[in-house]
PDB file of all heavy atoms in Angstrom:
ATOM      1  N   ARG P  45       3.357  13.534  14.584  1.00  0.00           N
ATOM      2  CA  ARG P  45       3.083  14.868  15.115  1.00  0.00           C
ATOM      3  C   ARG P  45       1.908  15.508  14.380  1.00  0.00           C
ATOM      4  O   ARG P  45       1.822  15.456  13.147  1.00  0.00           O
ATOM      5  CB  ARG P  45       4.327  15.737  14.941  1.00  0.00           C
ATOM      6  CG  ARG P  45       4.299  17.056  15.702  1.00  0.00           C
ATOM      7  CD  ARG P  45       4.397  16.828  17.199  1.00  0.00           C
ATOM      8  NE  ARG P  45       4.697  18.053  17.905  1.00  0.00           N
ATOM      9  CZ  ARG P  45       5.773  18.227  18.680  1.00  0.00           C
ATOM     10  NH1 ARG P  45       6.647  17.246  18.826  1.00  0.00           N
ATOM     11  NH2 ARG P  45       5.965  19.357  19.304  1.00  0.00           N
ATOM     12  N   GLY P  46       1.020  16.117  15.131  1.00  0.00           N
ATOM     13  CA  GLY P  46      -0.092  16.833  14.530  1.00  0.00           C
ATOM     14  C   GLY P  46       0.351  18.183  13.993  1.00  0.00           C
ATOM     15  O   GLY P  46       0.986  18.962  14.705  1.00  0.00           O
ATOM     16  N   VAL P  47       0.029  18.443  12.756  1.00  0.00           N
ATOM     17  CA  VAL P  47       0.358  19.720  12.104  1.00  0.00           C
ATOM     18  C   VAL P  47      -0.875  20.195  11.351  1.00  0.00           C
ATOM     19  O   VAL P  47      -1.569  19.402  10.710  1.00  0.00           O
ATOM     20  CB  VAL P  47       1.546  19.557  11.132  1.00  0.00           C
ATOM     21  CG1 VAL P  47       1.739  20.812  10.286  1.00  0.00           C
ATOM     22  CG2 VAL P  47       2.827  19.255  11.900  1.00  0.00           C
ATOM     23  N   LEU P  48      -1.137  21.490  11.423  1.00  0.00           N
ATOM     24  CA  LEU P  48      -2.229  22.079  10.661  1.00  0.00           C
ATOM     25  C   LEU P  48      -1.617  22.952   9.572  1.00  0.00           C
ATOM     26  O   LEU P  48      -1.178  24.068   9.856  1.00  0.00           O
ATOM     27  CB  LEU P  48      -3.136  22.902  11.583  1.00  0.00           C
ATOM     28  CG  LEU P  48      -4.634  22.867  11.276  1.00  0.00           C
ATOM     29  CD1 LEU P  48      -5.424  23.599  12.343  1.00  0.00           C
ATOM     30  CD2 LEU P  48      -4.955  23.416   9.910  1.00  0.00           C
ATOM     31  N   PRO P  49      -1.530  22.436   8.334  1.00  0.00           N
ATOM     32  CA  PRO P  49      -0.916  23.234   7.260  1.00  0.00           C
ATOM     33  C   PRO P  49      -1.656  24.559   7.062  1.00  0.00           C
ATOM     34  O   PRO P  49      -2.861  24.578   6.832  1.00  0.00           O
ATOM     35  CB  PRO P  49      -1.060  22.320   6.029  1.00  0.00           C
ATOM     36  CG  PRO P  49      -1.180  20.935   6.590  1.00  0.00           C
ATOM     37  CD  PRO P  49      -1.947  21.104   7.870  1.00  0.00           C
ATOM     38  N   LEU P  50      -0.923  25.639   7.142  1.00  0.00           N
ATOM     39  CA  LEU P  50      -1.560  26.951   7.073  1.00  0.00           C
ATOM     40  C   LEU P  50      -2.219  27.187   5.718  1.00  0.00           C
ATOM     41  O   LEU P  50      -3.270  27.838   5.644  1.00  0.00           O
ATOM     42  CB  LEU P  50      -0.526  28.039   7.367  1.00  0.00           C
ATOM     43  CG  LEU P  50       0.005  28.041   8.808  1.00  0.00           C
ATOM     44  CD1 LEU P  50       1.164  29.027   8.950  1.00  0.00           C
ATOM     45  CD2 LEU P  50      -1.103  28.378   9.796  1.00  0.00           C
ATOM     46  N   ASN P  51      -1.637  26.654   4.656  1.00  0.00           N
ATOM     47  CA  ASN P  51      -2.228  26.849   3.334  1.00  0.00           C
ATOM     48  C   ASN P  51      -3.279  25.798   3.002  1.00  0.00           C
ATOM     49  O   ASN P  51      -3.914  25.868   1.950  1.00  0.00           O
ATOM     50  CB  ASN P  51      -1.134  26.846   2.259  1.00  0.00           C
ATOM     51  CG  ASN P  51      -0.250  28.082   2.332  1.00  0.00           C
ATOM     52  OD1 ASN P  51      -0.714  29.159   2.702  1.00  0.00           O
ATOM     53  ND2 ASN P  51       1.024  27.931   2.016  1.00  0.00           N
ATOM     54  N   GLY P  52      -3.460  24.843   3.903  1.00  0.00           N
ATOM     55  CA  GLY P  52      -4.485  23.825   3.688  1.00  0.00           C
ATOM     56  C   GLY P  52      -5.594  23.894   4.707  1.00  0.00           C
ATOM     57  O   GLY P  52      -6.360  22.941   4.886  1.00  0.00           O
ATOM     58  N   PHE P  53      -5.684  25.030   5.379  1.00  0.00           N
ATOM     59  CA  PHE P  53      -6.686  25.209   6.430  1.00  0.00           C
ATOM     60  C   PHE P  53      -8.082  25.271   5.812  1.00  0.00           C
ATOM     61  O   PHE P  53      -8.325  25.979   4.835  1.00  0.00           O
ATOM     62  CB  PHE P  53      -6.388  26.497   7.197  1.00  0.00           C
ATOM     63  CG  PHE P  53      -7.253  26.711   8.404  1.00  0.00           C
ATOM     64  CD1 PHE P  53      -7.140  25.894   9.503  1.00  0.00           C
ATOM     65  CD2 PHE P  53      -8.171  27.754   8.429  1.00  0.00           C
ATOM     66  CE1 PHE P  53      -7.928  26.093  10.628  1.00  0.00           C
ATOM     67  CE2 PHE P  53      -8.962  27.965   9.544  1.00  0.00           C
ATOM     68  CZ  PHE P  53      -8.843  27.134  10.652  1.00  0.00           C
ATOM     69  N   HIS P  54      -9.012  24.523   6.401  1.00  0.00           N
ATOM     70  CA  HIS P  54     -10.367  24.434   5.846  1.00  0.00           C
ATOM     71  C   HIS P  54     -11.388  24.944   6.853  1.00  0.00           C
ATOM     72  O   HIS P  54     -11.378  24.554   8.026  1.00  0.00           O
ATOM     73  CB  HIS P  54     -10.689  22.984   5.489  1.00  0.00           C
ATOM     74  CG  HIS P  54     -12.120  22.778   5.101  1.00  0.00           C
ATOM     75  ND1 HIS P  54     -12.646  23.236   3.904  1.00  0.00           N
ATOM     76  CD2 HIS P  54     -13.163  22.185   5.760  1.00  0.00           C
ATOM     77  CE1 HIS P  54     -13.921  22.912   3.832  1.00  0.00           C
ATOM     78  NE2 HIS P  54     -14.270  22.288   4.941  1.00  0.00           N
ATOM     79  N   VAL P  55     -12.267  25.817   6.404  1.00  0.00           N
ATOM     80  CA  VAL P  55     -13.364  26.330   7.223  1.00  0.00           C
ATOM     81  C   VAL P  55     -14.670  25.880   6.580  1.00  0.00           C
ATOM     82  O   VAL P  55     -14.915  26.157   5.398  1.00  0.00           O
ATOM     83  CB  VAL P  55     -13.327  27.870   7.323  1.00  0.00           C
ATOM     84  CG1 VAL P  55     -14.504  28.379   8.146  1.00  0.00           C
ATOM     85  CG2 VAL P  55     -12.015  28.327   7.944  1.00  0.00           C
ATOM     86  N   SER P  56     -15.492  25.185   7.335  1.00  0.00           N
ATOM     87  CA  SER P  56     -16.760  24.695   6.790  1.00  0.00           C
ATOM     88  C   SER P  56     -17.686  25.861   6.450  1.00  0.00           C
ATOM     89  O   SER P  56     -17.556  26.969   6.978  1.00  0.00           O
ATOM     90  CB  SER P  56     -17.441  23.773   7.796  1.00  0.00           C
ATOM     91  OG  SER P  56     -17.875  24.514   8.931  1.00  0.00           O
ATOM     92  N   LYS P  57     -18.647  25.589   5.575  1.00  0.00           N
ATOM     93  CA  LYS P  57     -19.607  26.619   5.187  1.00  0.00           C
ATOM     94  C   LYS P  57     -20.424  27.093   6.385  1.00  0.00           C
ATOM     95  O   LYS P  57     -20.710  28.288   6.523  1.00  0.00           O
ATOM     96  CB  LYS P  57     -20.532  26.088   4.091  1.00  0.00           C
ATOM     97  CG  LYS P  57     -19.848  25.865   2.757  1.00  0.00           C
ATOM     98  CD  LYS P  57     -20.838  25.368   1.713  1.00  0.00           C
ATOM     99  CE  LYS P  57     -20.163  25.166   0.365  1.00  0.00           C
ATOM    100  NZ  LYS P  57     -21.116  24.645  -0.653  1.00  0.00           N
ATOM    101  N   SER P  58     -20.787  26.149   7.266  1.00  0.00           N
ATOM    102  CA  SER P  58     -21.590  26.530   8.436  1.00  0.00           C
ATOM    103  C   SER P  58     -20.801  27.417   9.387  1.00  0.00           C
ATOM    104  O   SER P  58     -21.337  28.382   9.939  1.00  0.00           O
ATOM    105  CB  SER P  58     -22.083  25.284   9.167  1.00  0.00           C
ATOM    106  OG  SER P  58     -20.991  24.488   9.599  1.00  0.00           O
ATOM    107  N   LEU P  59     -19.502  27.109   9.562  1.00  0.00           N
ATOM    108  CA  LEU P  59     -18.682  27.952  10.441  1.00  0.00           C
ATOM    109  C   LEU P  59     -18.449  29.315   9.811  1.00  0.00           C
ATOM    110  O   LEU P  59     -18.510  30.339  10.502  1.00  0.00           O
ATOM    111  CB  LEU P  59     -17.359  27.266  10.746  1.00  0.00           C
ATOM    112  CG  LEU P  59     -16.401  28.038  11.662  1.00  0.00           C
ATOM    113  CD1 LEU P  59     -17.060  28.355  13.003  1.00  0.00           C
ATOM    114  CD2 LEU P  59     -15.109  27.247  11.878  1.00  0.00           C
ATOM    115  N   ALA P  60     -18.200  29.339   8.517  1.00  0.00           N
ATOM    116  CA  ALA P  60     -18.007  30.624   7.833  1.00  0.00           C
ATOM    117  C   ALA P  60     -19.251  31.498   7.976  1.00  0.00           C
ATOM    118  O   ALA P  60     -19.157  32.716   8.193  1.00  0.00           O
ATOM    119  CB  ALA P  60     -17.684  30.387   6.360  1.00  0.00           C
ATOM    120  N   LYS P  61     -20.416  30.874   7.881  1.00  0.00           N
ATOM    121  CA  LYS P  61     -21.669  31.613   8.038  1.00  0.00           C
ATOM    122  C   LYS P  61     -21.799  32.157   9.450  1.00  0.00           C
ATOM    123  O   LYS P  61     -22.209  33.317   9.656  1.00  0.00           O
ATOM    124  CB  LYS P  61     -22.850  30.704   7.717  1.00  0.00           C
ATOM    125  CG  LYS P  61     -24.205  31.379   7.806  1.00  0.00           C
ATOM    126  CD  LYS P  61     -25.319  30.416   7.432  1.00  0.00           C
ATOM    127  CE  LYS P  61     -26.686  31.074   7.532  1.00  0.00           C
ATOM    128  NZ  LYS P  61     -27.784  30.119   7.171  1.00  0.00           N
ATOM    129  N   ALA P  62     -21.418  31.340  10.439  1.00  0.00           N
ATOM    130  CA  ALA P  62     -21.487  31.785  11.838  1.00  0.00           C
ATOM    131  C   ALA P  62     -20.522  32.933  12.095  1.00  0.00           C
ATOM    132  O   ALA P  62     -20.843  33.881  12.823  1.00  0.00           O
ATOM    133  CB  ALA P  62     -21.182  30.612  12.767  1.00  0.00           C
ATOM    134  N   ILE P  63     -19.334  32.865  11.486  1.00  0.00           N
ATOM    135  CA  ILE P  63     -18.343  33.922  11.670  1.00  0.00           C
ATOM    136  C   ILE P  63     -18.859  35.246  11.116  1.00  0.00           C
ATOM    137  O   ILE P  63     -18.632  36.316  11.713  1.00  0.00           O
ATOM    138  CB  ILE P  63     -17.015  33.527  11.000  1.00  0.00           C
ATOM    139  CG1 ILE P  63     -16.358  32.370  11.775  1.00  0.00           C
ATOM    140  CG2 ILE P  63     -16.060  34.720  10.926  1.00  0.00           C
ATOM    141  CD1 ILE P  63     -15.144  31.785  11.088  1.00  0.00           C
TER     142      ILE P  63
END
Side-chain angles (χ1 to χ4, degrees):
R45 192 69 166 239
V47 170
L48 216 174
L50 293 172
N51 290 328
F53 187 68
H54 172 72
V55 178
S56 68
K57 291 181 179 178
S58 59
L59 180 58
K61 182 178 179 180
I63 290 172

